[in-house]
Amino acid sequence: MTRIKNNKLRTWREISIFFAAFFCLSIAFTSCKKKRSAVGSDALSSETLMNSKGVDTFQLKTSTVEQDSIFSMDPAFNLIGSYNDEVFGTVDANFYTQLTLSGFSPDFGDLTQITIDSAVMAFEYGGYYGDLNEQLFEVYEIQDELTRDSSYLRTSTTNVFSQNLVPTLNNEGLITPDTESMTVVGDDTLDPQLRIPLDTNFARDLLGYAQNASTDEDFLQSFKGLHFKVNNSMNSPGEGSIVYLASSEAASKLTVYYTKNGESSFYDFIINGSAVDYNHVDTDFTGTKVEQVINDPTLGQTEYYVQAFSTLAKVEFSSIDSLPDNIIIHEATLELPVNYYLGSNYYPSTTINVSADALSDGDKYLIKTSGVQYNSSSKSYQIDLRDYIQLVLQGDVPNTGIFISPRNYITTAERIILNGVNTMNKNKPKLSIVYTVL
């Protein structure tokens, strides 16, 4: 989570460099369907380039495509929070997760004889997106079982009990996430954490479930898990954030602190690799520029968009069909400039995925399996499409365009604004192709 320069020589003969300015947007899921190889890997010599001819007429089409069924189970980060983006609208993220035992059949003795001092749900931070501010965190116990054979989508929900498990007497749920300061717990200094206090009566019940469980399966029969969310008032444009929680880290756990016979102790509930979890993310771009481009793709020629969990960037270049069939592609570089000002909290994705339609099954496959990094110097993504265009010309894949998405599509809240060919900005998208006629 990579970041051609060609001389326009009008006297070229056997080799042509095509410059195409265009607008782009859409995506593909991070699952790789078909792996293919292409010919044309030989590089051109400088002598050959000097004997070339340049052409700069390519018709390109770019647009934004809305996505519906986004799988969100087992993400790298659990997401929580909300923000309001004047371009993309509002985003609200929450998640559901199971907890497991740190030790089977713990012996707490008579639970009525112990004092619950406190209970804290701690999450190690994995990052954030937006402007960190105070948010009202809430936690609810799940009613229904989370199962690994379920297909949880970003729109999925699970029934929960009505009681908020975060104390409200002193606004304990009002927390400003701090991803920079170390966290001190007792004598330990730990990496920054989000620490949410929980109801002590609930914590006592949790110890009872643990004491009667000899396996995680036994425990999950009594306790299904927790739903974490925020309950924020309406954010103004530019306000709010989505926090990334590294739930699988050892420091991420629910700890019950208690006193028994005058001695203080604690017990941990953890989120291990077997725990089922999924993110629920609501995006609403009603009345925004994003909605306008989705409804009228021609507007994407000025500016187009991509956002985790909701939209993809699509770039089509049907004009490459006019290229001769008997050629070898030596270079094909697509440069996608980004509309971003330094210091904005809505930074472009560090790495994007580039994918395309597969042959006939409606699925997609990754074109660049290692991802493409954002170039902060040029404020653009520079994509090597040599193999892909060679495959298109060979008829091995359909020429239906490529799709752009944040690499961590189901684990971040990132979004990208891309310049179209009609942008008022200086940098416009461009496709450059160098080939040899056989």
Side-chain angles (χ1 to χ4, degrees):
M1 148 188 301
T2 316
R3 261 268 224 257
I4 96 182
K5 141 170 131 170
N6 298 309
N7 298 319
K8 291 187 177 179
L9 302 176
R10 296 293 181 180
T11 59
W12 293 6
R13 295 182 182 176
E14 295 184 2
I15 301 169
S16 299
I17 299 183
F18 283 76
F19 296 95
F22 70 95
F23 168 77
C24 157
L25 198 86
S26 183
I27 174 180
F29 299 118
T30 55
S31 58
C32 184
K33 183 70 176 177
K34 296 180 174 64
K35 183 173 180 127
R36 315 178 192 279
S37 60
V39 300
S41 58
D42 294 337
L44 294 177
S45 67
S46 58
E47 180 180 355
T48 303
L49 286 172
M50 291 302 294
N51 293 317
S52 301
K53 171 184 174 182
V55 181
D56 56 2
T57 54
F58 247 7
Q59 297 298 318
L60 301 164
K61 179 182 177 182
T62 55
S63 57
T64 295
V65 180
E66 185 176 3
Q67 295 294 287
D68 295 322
S69 301
I70 305 299
F71 292 96
S72 62
M73 185 174 169
D74 293 333
F77 298 118
N78 287 128
L79 309 185
I80 191 168
S82 65
Y83 71 80
N84 186 347
D85 182 341
E86 62 182 5
V87 177
F88 287 78
T90 60
V91 181
D92 185 285
N94 53 85
F95 66 95
Y96 301 80
T97 185
Q98 294 176 332
L99 299 178
T100 55
L101 302 173
S102 60
F104 300 130
S105 301
D107 184 9
F108 304 114
D110 185 354
L111 290 175
T112 64
Q113 300 302 309
I114 70 173
T115 300
I116 305 296
D117 300 313
S118 64
V120 177
M121 183 72 233
F123 291 103
E124 188 170 314
Y125 290 113
Y128 70 95
Y129 198 76
D131 184 21
L132 289 177
N133 62 329
E134 186 178 69
Q135 304 198 54
L136 180 58
F137 291 85
E138 296 180 349
V139 181
Y140 297 88
E141 184 178 351
I142 295 174
Q143 283 185 299
D144 301 332
E145 181 181 5
L146 299 179
T147 60
R148 185 147 296 282
D149 57 356
S150 297
S151 297
Y152 293 110
L153 306 177
R154 66 105 164 177
T155 55
S156 296
T157 59
T158 299
N159 291 325
V160 301
F161 293 103
S162 60
Q163 181 189 359
N164 177 17
L165 299 176
V166 180
T168 59
L169 183 62
N170 297 309
N171 290 324
E172 288 89 337
L174 280 174
I175 302 171
T176 301
D178 183 353
T179 62
E180 299 297 328
S181 301
M182 303 299 286
T183 297
V184 178
V185 180
D187 297 329
D188 298 324
T189 300
L190 308 172
D191 288 337
Q193 293 182 353
L194 172 66
R195 296 179 65 81
I196 305 173
L198 299 177
D199 180 75
T200 55
N201 291 323
F202 161 73
R204 186 184 300 276
D205 292 338
L206 209 56
L207 292 183
Y209 300 147
Q211 186 166 245
N212 294 322
S214 58
T215 65
D216 284 332
E217 290 73 19
D218 290 342
F219 176 67
L220 290 172
Q221 288 298 312
S222 302
F223 175 70
K224 310 303 182 187
L226 294 173
H227 177 212
F228 295 85
K229 59 172 293 189
V230 295
N231 184 5
N232 297 328
S233 58
M234 182 64 68
N235 292 317
S236 299
E239 290 184 346
S241 63
I242 304 294
V243 181
Y244 307 156
L245 304 179
S247 303
S248 60
E249 292 294 328
S252 297
K253 57 189 177 182
L254 192 164
T255 302
V256 178
Y257 299 91
Y258 64 91
T259 300
K260 178 181 179 181
N261 298 327
E263 295 186 4
S264 297
S265 190
F266 65 89
Y267 183 81
D268 293 331
F269 298 86
I270 60 177
I271 305 175
N272 62 23
S274 66
V276 177
D277 66 326
Y278 71 92
N279 287 326
H280 175 104
V281 178
D282 293 313
T283 57
D284 183 3
F285 37 74
T286 303
T288 66
K289 294 180 180 179
V290 175
E291 183 183 49
Q292 293 173 14
V293 173
I294 290 174
N295 293 336
D296 183 0
T298 62
L299 297 177
Q301 294 299 102
T302 300
E303 193 171 81
Y304 57 106
Y305 315 95
V306 59
Q307 183 180 36
F309 285 100
S310 68
T311 55
L312 308 175
K314 185 176 184 180
V315 181
E316 300 171 80
F317 22 83
S318 59
S319 292
I320 66 172
D321 291 336
S322 63
L323 288 170
D325 294 332
N326 58 333
I327 64 174
I328 292 179
I329 303 295
H330 294 277
E331 297 177 5
T333 303
L334 174 61
E335 183 172 2
L336 303 180
V338 171
N339 185 350
Y340 168 71
Y341 65 89
L342 190 63
S344 171
N345 293 313
Y346 303 128
Y347 53 83
S349 301
T350 302
T351 309
I352 60 172
N353 278 338
V354 182
S355 57
D357 289 327
L359 284 174
S360 60
D361 54 11
D363 206 345
K364 294 179 174 63
Y365 71 97
L366 289 178
I367 294 175
K368 306 302 294 181
T369 56
S370 61
V372 176
Q373 290 188 322
Y374 176 67
N375 187 319
S376 58
S377 297
S378 63
K379 292 185 178 180
S380 68
Y381 298 101
Q382 298 177 20
I383 306 168
D384 178 3
L385 291 180
R386 181 181 62 83
D387 289 353
Y388 169 72
I389 291 179
Q390 186 74 69
L391 289 169
V392 168
L393 295 177
Q394 292 173 183
D396 292 331
V397 298
N399 184 17
T400 53
I402 63 171
F403 301 87
I404 308 299
S405 67
R407 184 172 189 179
N408 297 316
Y409 195 66
I410 68 166
T411 57
T412 70
E414 297 169 353
R415 57 33 149 216
I416 309 169
I417 301 175
L418 295 158
N419 292 341
V421 292
N422 297 329
T423 180
M424 297 298 293
N425 296 324
K426 177 181 178 180
N427 296 323
K428 305 177 188 298
K430 179 177 65 176
L431 174 65
S432 304
I433 298 178
V434 180
Y435 68 86
T436 299
V437 178
L438 298 177

